Amino acid sequence: NIDYATKRLDTLNRFPIVMQNLGINAKEATNAINALANYTLGLPTTLNDAAEKVQYFTSATGNVWQSIKIFEALNDAIVSGAQTAEVQSTALYQWSQAIVRGSFDIEREFNAMVVANAKAVNEVAEHLLGAGKDFNDLWNALKKGETTVYDMVDAMVYLDENGTDALESWSKRAQNSVAGIDTAITRL
C-alpha cells in the first residue's frame, strides 16, 4: 500500500541522518539500513520498527552492526513464537528497554518475552545455565545476579545464528513461522 511505501522510503532516507547524529558515518549507516531492509523482507516486522529499535540500541552500544544483531536476535525469537502482533510488539518494547538499561525493572517486563515465545526464553536459560533449566531459573538467576541481561543478549545472538543441538536457528524459525497468508496480507 502507499502508506507503507511512503513510511519505508522516509525510513530509508532518515536512518542515515539519525545514525550520523549518533556518530556512525554515512556510508556505514546506509549499508546498515539496506541490511535491515533486506532482513525485514518477508517478516511481519516493518522497516520503520526495525530502524527505530536499531537506533535505540545504537544509542546505547555505539555500534550499529552490533545493534542490528541484537535486534535481529530479539525480533526472530519473538516472531518465531507466532503470537499476535500485539504480543510481539509488547515483548519487543519491554525487552528493548531492558537490554538498553541492562536490567529488568520488574518481572512483567521479563514475562512479556515468555508470553511471546517461552521456548526461546527456555533455550536462553539452557544455553546460560545448563540442560533442563527454564525461564523461571533464568529469572531467578537474573534476580540473584548470577547472570546478566548482557549474557542473555550474547546467548540470544548465538541462538539466532546457530540454534541448539536439536533445533535450527531462531532466524530460520522466524522465516518458517511467517510463511502464511495472514503475513502476506499484512505486508500488502
Side-chain angles (χ1 to χ4, degrees):
N1 76 32
I2 291 175
D3 184 50
Y4 175 78
T6 303
K7 286 180 182 177
R8 185 174 177 86
L9 184 60
D10 284 347
T11 299
L12 286 166
N13 291 326
R14 191 176 49 247
F15 184 87
I17 296 166
V18 173
M19 287 291 108
Q20 287 177 50
N21 291 338
L22 295 174
I24 307 300
N25 74 51
K27 183 176 180 178
E28 188 173 16
T30 299
N31 290 340
I33 194 65
N34 289 335
L36 274 177
N38 287 333
Y39 165 76
T40 59
L41 290 176
L43 291 175
T45 310
T46 66
L47 178 60
N48 191 50
D49 288 344
E52 179 184 286
K53 292 301 183 260
V54 169
Q55 289 166 1
Y56 187 55
F57 291 146
T58 303
S59 70
T61 67
N63 183 320
V64 69
W65 296 106
Q66 179 186 16
S67 297
I68 287 173
K69 282 187 167 205
I70 294 167
F71 169 75
E72 288 178 359
L74 179 58
N75 192 64
D76 289 342
I78 291 167
V79 170
S80 67
Q83 293 293 331
T84 66
E86 183 179 351
V87 168
Q88 290 179 16
S89 178
T90 298
L92 187 59
Y93 175 78
Q94 296 288 351
W95 273 50
S96 294
Q97 287 195 332
I99 288 168
V100 169
R101 190 174 48 246
S103 66
F104 289 93
D105 277 350
I106 53 175
E107 192 170 0
R108 179 179 48 92
E109 287 180 336
F110 181 83
N111 284 336
M113 180 66 154
V114 174
V115 170
N117 191 344
K119 176 68 176 155
V121 183
N122 288 343
E123 289 172 20
V124 171
E126 286 196 353
H127 186 82
L128 292 174
L129 306 173
K133 299 298 182 181
D134 66 12
F135 61 83
N136 290 311
D137 299 308
L138 183 58
W139 173 247
N140 288 327
L142 282 164
K143 287 193 306 188
K144 294 176 185 174
E146 295 169 355
T147 194
T148 68
V149 170
Y150 303 113
D151 295 332
M152 289 176 49
V153 167
D154 290 343
M156 291 170 68
V157 169
Y158 176 86
L159 292 164
D160 189 49
E161 294 172 354
N162 303 296
T164 68
D165 290 339
L167 296 168
E168 63 190 348
S169 71
W170 288 353
S171 177
K172 287 183 181 164
R173 285 187 260 170
Q175 290 292 328
N176 293 340
S177 72
V178 296
I181 295 170
D182 188 46
T183 299
I185 291 171
T186 301
R187 297 300 300 220
L188 291 178

